[in-house]
Amino acid sequence: MNAPAPAPQSRFAELVQSPAPEIDLATGALLVAAGEYPQLAVEPYLRRLDLLAERVRDRTWSETSTLVRFQELSHVLFVEEGFRGNSEAYYDPRNSFLNDVLDRKIGIPITLSVVFLEVGWRVGLPLAGISFPGHFLVRYAGEAINLLIDPFAEGQVRFEDEAQQLLDSVYGGMVRLRPEFLQPASTRDILYRILTNLKGIYLNARDDHRALATVEQLLLIRPTAAGEFRDRGMLLARAGRPEEAIADLERYLDFAPAAPDATRVRSLIRELTKHADM
């Protein structure tokens, strides 16, 4: 008799705690989605990415230029497949689930970037995710040229020296470009940002159950993230679990004793302690 498959949360924990080179981005993104779809089969969606890459590879097999492969990748994804940004319902949680993005062909910058990265890596393209403020991007690092790709805008291409213009379009000229804005994001960084987006959606919707599950995943990636302990503590307090909430809030203060909200958190701990003692 075969042993039962590990639960998605267990698989996610095992994945993100692996050495960095062993963390598969697409698998991690699909395991994030499995929190919403517990019966989600990961492998068929990985095969979908393989098939997209095969189309690009079949058309460029004789090309040595990565730029030609890059152009064909954009054509396949944004022209033939029609992937695009979901500006009409940006905060729909489905935009953050890679299976939904592959099925519906719409998403937000970071999940569309995951599709672009995963297909591009499969055909040997020099791509990296860029955690640009407010708008995740992909960088193509060619031999003679570096480009920034915006998968949310159907693969719009910019030169790196145009990054300030993109920043201005997001922040209205209030933020100046800094070198760290264009640093490559690790797989853990990308998964963390996907989950952070989801947490914000759930908190705004007052969906505490899903927000709490998302914070649990965030802490698997960054076990010492002070803000996640605070947020989990707040959610546990609202869920009527004062002892657990106190433990998390106290840990938050251990990590960040001079945080701007430290006074408010200490006051909440006192209130929770009264209820826990009743």
Side-chain angles (χ1 to χ4, degrees), residues 185-260:
S186 70
T187 302
R188 286 191 183 91
D189 291 337
I190 296 173
L191 294 174
Y192 196 88
R193 186 155 168 170
I194 292 172
L195 286 163
T196 300
N197 289 342
L198 271 173
K199 182 181 76 170
I201 291 168
Y202 293 145
L203 288 174
N204 286 336
R206 301 287 293 184
D207 188 340
D208 289 355
H209 176 74
R210 286 182 170 86
L212 183 57
T214 304
V215 173
E216 299 283 1
Q217 289 184 302
L218 285 163
L219 282 167
L220 289 172
I221 300 174
R222 295 184 186 171
T224 60
E228 306 307 338
F229 283 107
R230 177 200 57 211
D231 291 350
R232 189 170 69 176
M234 297 290 188
L235 288 164
L236 288 168
R238 291 212 294 255
R241 296 159 64 179
E243 293 87 355
E244 295 167 86
I246 291 167
D248 271 351
L249 295 172
E250 287 179 340
R251 188 172 298 183
Y252 168 64
L253 293 174
D254 288 341
F255 281 123

Side-chain angles (χ1 to χ4, degrees), residues 68-278:
V68 172
R69 273 180 277 151
F70 163 76
Q71 292 169 331
E72 188 61 37
L73 168 63
S74 291
H75 184 79
V76 167
L77 292 183
F78 302 115
V79 178
E80 296 181 5
E81 290 294 315
F83 282 94
R84 63 179 178 84
N86 189 358
S87 55
E88 297 86 2
Y90 191 90
Y91 297 103
D92 185 332
R94 293 176 294 177
N95 294 328
S96 294
F97 300 136
L98 184 56
N99 61 310
D100 281 325
V101 174
L102 288 168
D103 287 340
R104 302 169 71 224
K105 299 182 182 178
I106 56 175
I108 52 176
I110 193 163
T111 46
L112 291 168
S113 292
V114 170
V115 175
F116 196 92
L117 287 167
E118 284 289 351
V119 179
W121 287 336
R122 282 163 166 76
V123 297
L125 288 178
L127 303 176
I130 303 296
S131 282
F132 202 70
H135 199 92
F136 200 89
L137 300 169
V138 173
R139 174 194 281 142
Y140 165 84
E143 294 181 3
I145 192 171
N146 288 344
L147 300 172
L148 296 175
I149 303 96
D150 184 357
F152 188 78
E154 298 177 27
Q156 181 180 16
V157 175
R158 298 174 185 263
F159 294 105
E160 279 202 353
D161 60 8
E162 297 178 294
Q164 182 64 56
Q165 296 175 23
L166 180 57
L167 200 59
D168 291 345
S169 71
V170 178
Y171 293 103
M174 301 299 293
V175 178
R176 302 306 301 167
L177 183 67
R178 300 204 297 264
E180 58 265 31
F181 291 171
L182 296 174
Q183 291 301 305
S186 70
T187 302
R188 286 191 183 91
D189 291 337
I190 296 173
L191 294 174
Y192 196 88
R193 186 155 168 170
I194 292 172
L195 286 163
T196 300
N197 289 342
L198 271 173
K199 182 181 76 170
I201 291 168
Y202 293 145
L203 288 174
N204 286 336
R206 301 287 293 184
D207 188 340
D208 289 355
H209 176 74
R210 286 182 170 86
L212 183 57
T214 304
V215 173
E216 299 283 1
Q217 289 184 302
L218 285 163
L219 282 167
L220 289 172
I221 300 174
R222 295 184 186 171
T224 60
E228 306 307 338
F229 283 107
R230 177 200 57 211
D231 291 350
R232 189 170 69 176
M234 297 290 188
L235 288 164
L236 288 168
R238 291 212 294 255
R241 296 159 64 179
E243 293 87 355
E244 295 167 86
I246 291 167
D248 271 351
L249 295 172
E250 287 179 340
R251 188 172 298 183
Y252 168 64
L253 293 174
D254 288 341
F255 281 123
D261 60 354
T263 299
R264 181 169 66 89
V265 171
R266 291 189 180 96
S267 176
L268 177 58
I269 290 172
R270 288 193 294 270
E271 288 299 315
L272 290 169
T273 302
K274 293 177 185 176
H275 291 291
D277 291 341
M278 289 181 178

